[in-house]
Amino acid sequence: MQHLKPWSSPLSHVCTWPRIDRSAYLVTVGDKVGFLARERQVAPPGWNRWLVPPAALAIHLSIGQAYAWSVFKTPLEKTLGITGTQSALPFQLGIVMLGLSAAVLGTTVERRGPRWAMLMSLIAFCSGLLISAVGVWAGQYWVVVLGYGLVGGIGLGIGYISPVSTLIKWFPDRPGMATGIAIMGFGGGALIASPWSTSMLTAFGATSTSGIGKAFLVHGIAYAVFMSVGVLLIRLPSKEFTAEKEALLKDRPKATVGFNVSANNAIKTPQFWLLWVVLCFNVTAGIGILEKAAPMLVDFFKESSTPVAATAATGFVALLSAANMAGRFIWSSTSDIVGRKNIYRLYLGVGALLYLVLLTVGSTSTPLFVIAAMVILSFYGAGFATVPAYLRDLFGTYQVGAIHGRLLTAWSVAGVLGPLIVNAIADAGKKAGHVGPDLYATSFYIMISLLVVGFVANELIRPVDPKFHEPKAAEETEKPSPKDDDEATVAKWNEAEAADVAETAADKEDAEGVVKK
């Protein structure tokens, strides 16, 4: 923190009052001392960068529990007497808050560092699970919505973006693979949570509020312990890593980005909003299946000669989670070779064709339905994992975490849009007496249309106009450290946090006016 400066006033001949430069205080308080200090997050010389992905996975595997929400849908509907659309509300609100909190707090996460962000994620996400337990025990569904959706959703957003920019800085030679490793954990969270939640509901009682509440309680405690590993292990690259970074990029000239764009400028570019459309519609198409996976499979084959039992449908959720998880690593790593634009052509174009397969012949074969849905979910997860690297290619590494946070508002929209389309149309179809695939035909047509629009948006993406590039001097503030956190760095972060220091600027103007008078 900067030294205190005397403040001249009309009474300066009587006394001198110390004045704190609050704009500098906003940047440096909490960054210089204690466990969460930024200097305590910097890796020592010789730190192995492969220790960072496990830290990211500890967070993402935990908050990825959100993808297993469909396991709780039927028990909550039966015990609390709610509809399928209502039971999707905590999940929908959670995804909305994920995008909003990531957008609002993206720059703060960049400034405070990943350890601070991971700790905040732990507190919010696990508190949301504990609040949900209380809500179920009390029989108050709105408490579950606020706990899991609102409070837990904030934890989702902070935890989702917290390790991404850090991994990109540690792995400049393979940004797609690096982000794929981390975000793979979010997709794979349900692979752990789905069978675990099912077994707990079976043991505690899925038909009683007491049993469901206990399941939420155990989740909250266990995930708090697991996420602590990531908080303790995460590190930022040191200044010594610069030389090693140059060596890593030497044989990969295509991985080098020679420009940077700030978060404020990024949202002024057409590239940002085209990518927003791409992400939103790719997510909408996948999340509609994922959120209603278990009941959808049962409904699809209910009137066929090979109906699917509810227990087998739970296994389907696990398979989708596995595909979601694998796609995040495999396809995003492939994007380092074939390019981001080409890989999104695969996600969106082939995804639309697979939805058409489900619509026309999906009900004729359970294996065909499962395989097609798994590939769609692999593209869905891969879209999340590849987009940070796409952003890095378009905007550089400077404030890429903050830009990523703003882009995740697309997920907020898709988190409402996808489940709403599928659930509302299915509920209306049931009232009209429809059964089997007819419950989802309209939904699938809508998903195909959205994927085609996303495909066109991806084709329109071009390199960012140089007028949005940052001056070279600004790029030096990309990685503030205790030694070079000088006045220029402070000024740059304050500019990025303009809203936070508006009051400070006003105070300074008032003070100067008094002095002049």
Side-chain angles (χ1 to χ4, degrees):
M1 190 169 72
Q2 295 182 356
H3 293 296
L4 301 181
K5 299 178 181 178
W7 174 35
S8 297
S9 73
L11 300 178
S12 58
H13 64 283
V14 178
C15 61
T16 300
W17 295 98
R19 177 169 176 80
I20 298 174
D21 186 344
R22 290 172 61 197
S23 61
Y25 178 80
L26 278 170
V27 171
T28 59
V29 68
D31 298 341
K32 296 290 187 185
V33 294
F35 175 70
L36 298 180
R38 194 175 184 93
E39 64 181 15
R40 294 283 295 274
Q41 301 179 49
V42 177
W47 181 266
N48 189 336
R49 64 175 181 165
W50 289 100
L51 293 174
V52 180
L57 281 171
I59 300 299
H60 275 233
L61 282 170
S62 299
I63 62 177
Q65 185 274 338
Y67 278 146
W69 177 254
S70 62
V71 174
F72 286 96
K73 279 175 64 69
T74 302
L76 287 171
E77 289 168 17
K78 291 181 178 179
T79 56
L80 299 180
I82 55 178
T83 66
T85 302
Q86 290 173 322
S87 67
L89 189 56
F91 177 81
Q92 289 175 297
L93 181 58
I95 299 302
V96 168
M97 292 309 301
L98 186 157
L100 293 179
S101 60
V104 172
L105 298 172
T107 307
T108 303
V109 168
E110 287 276 349
R111 173 166 56 85
R112 291 292 190 183
R115 180 179 290 170
W116 176 89
M118 288 179 174
L119 181 60
M120 295 304 105
S121 173
L122 183 159
I123 293 170
F125 179 68
C126 296
S127 295
L129 289 168
L130 298 179
I131 293 170
S132 298
V134 173
V136 173
W137 280 328
Q140 299 295 323
Y141 187 61
W142 66 269
V143 177
V144 179
V145 174
L146 291 178
Y148 194 92
L150 183 64
V151 179
I154 294 173
L156 290 178
I158 300 174
Y160 191 87
I161 64 173
S162 59
V164 171
S165 64
T166 305
L167 279 164
I168 288 177
K169 290 167 185 172
W170 275 110
F171 294 87
D173 51 328
R174 298 179 182 274
M177 181 207 70
T179 55
I181 290 174
I183 298 177
M184 174 181 68
F186 193 89
L191 193 61
I192 298 171
S194 182
W196 183 37
S197 300
T198 302
S199 63
M200 277 197 292
L201 288 170
T202 301
F204 297 145
T207 58
S208 68
T209 56
S210 174
I212 300 171
K214 287 178 183 177
F216 278 124
L217 176 64
V218 173
H219 274 75
I221 296 171
Y223 282 131
V225 174
F226 192 54
M227 293 173 77
S228 298
V229 176
V231 175
L232 295 172
L233 194 59
I234 193 67
R235 293 291 188 278
L236 286 164
S238 63
K239 295 178 72 175
E240 289 75 13
F241 183 69
T242 303
E244 186 178 345
K245 175 181 177 181
E246 292 175 356
L248 290 169
L249 292 173
K250 187 176 181 181
D251 298 326
R252 298 180 63 84
K254 290 184 179 179
T256 304
V257 179
F259 58 86
N260 285 303
V261 181
S262 70
N264 287 336
N265 279 336
I267 61 174
K268 299 174 185 177
T269 65
Q271 288 82 358
F272 177 89
W273 295 106
L274 287 169
L275 195 53
W276 191 97
V277 171
V278 168
L279 181 63
C280 181
F281 290 170
N282 188 59
V283 172
T284 301
I287 208 168
I289 288 182
L290 189 60
E291 189 275 334
K292 200 176 175 65
M296 180 183 289
L297 184 66
V298 172
D299 288 339
F300 232 82
F301 294 95
K302 199 168 192 177
E303 302 298 320
S304 70
S305 58
T306 56
V308 178
T311 52
T314 302
F316 176 56
V317 174
L319 286 174
L320 292 184
S321 298
N324 187 358
M325 183 177 183
R328 291 170 187 243
F329 179 72
I330 295 171
W331 297 123
S332 61
S333 297
T334 304
S335 76
D336 287 331
I337 302 170
V338 304
R340 321 303 171 198
K341 193 168 194 174
N342 287 331
I343 205 72
Y344 270 96
R345 286 168 175 155
L346 176 73
Y347 302 160
L348 299 160
V350 177
L353 293 176
L354 288 172
Y355 257 110
L356 189 60
V357 169
L358 289 178
L359 189 61
T360 54
V361 296
S363 61
T364 62
S365 169
T366 304
L368 177 64
F369 182 95
V370 170
I371 292 171
M374 287 178 66
V375 177
I376 289 173
L377 262 293
S378 77
F379 293 158
Y380 161 81
F384 283 119
T386 311
V387 83
Y390 209 160
L391 288 171
R392 176 256 190 195
D393 294 347
L394 291 170
F395 304 110
T397 58
Y398 176 63
Q399 293 193 345
V400 67
I403 299 171
H404 186 213
R406 286 160 171 77
L407 190 74
L408 289 179
T409 54
W411 194 358
S412 297
V413 174
V416 173
L417 196 59
L420 181 63
I421 291 171
V422 174
N423 283 291
I425 292 175
D427 287 346
K430 287 180 180 179
K431 289 181 180 179
H434 297 163
V435 293
D438 291 342
L439 292 171
Y440 303 98
T442 304
S443 301
F444 285 7
Y445 278 122
I446 293 173
M447 300 306 179
I448 292 170
S449 301
L450 293 178
L451 287 170
V452 170
V453 173
F455 187 92
V456 173
N458 183 55
E459 292 301 307
L460 295 175
I461 294 176
R462 299 289 184 271
V464 174
D465 192 313
K467 71 180 181 181
F468 294 107
H469 295 178
E470 285 292 294
K472 282 291 182 182
E475 296 174 14
E476 299 301 320
T477 65
E478 178 184 345
K479 296 182 290 185
S481 69
K483 292 182 181 178
D484 59 12
D485 191 13
D486 54 14
E487 292 183 2
T489 303
V490 170
K492 190 63 187 176
W493 279 115
N494 283 335
E495 183 182 345
E497 292 278 295
D500 291 344
V501 300
E503 183 183 349
T504 299
D507 288 348
K508 286 184 178 179
E509 267 186 41
D510 292 343
E512 289 172 3
V514 171
V515 172
K516 287 179 181 179
K517 288 181 182 179

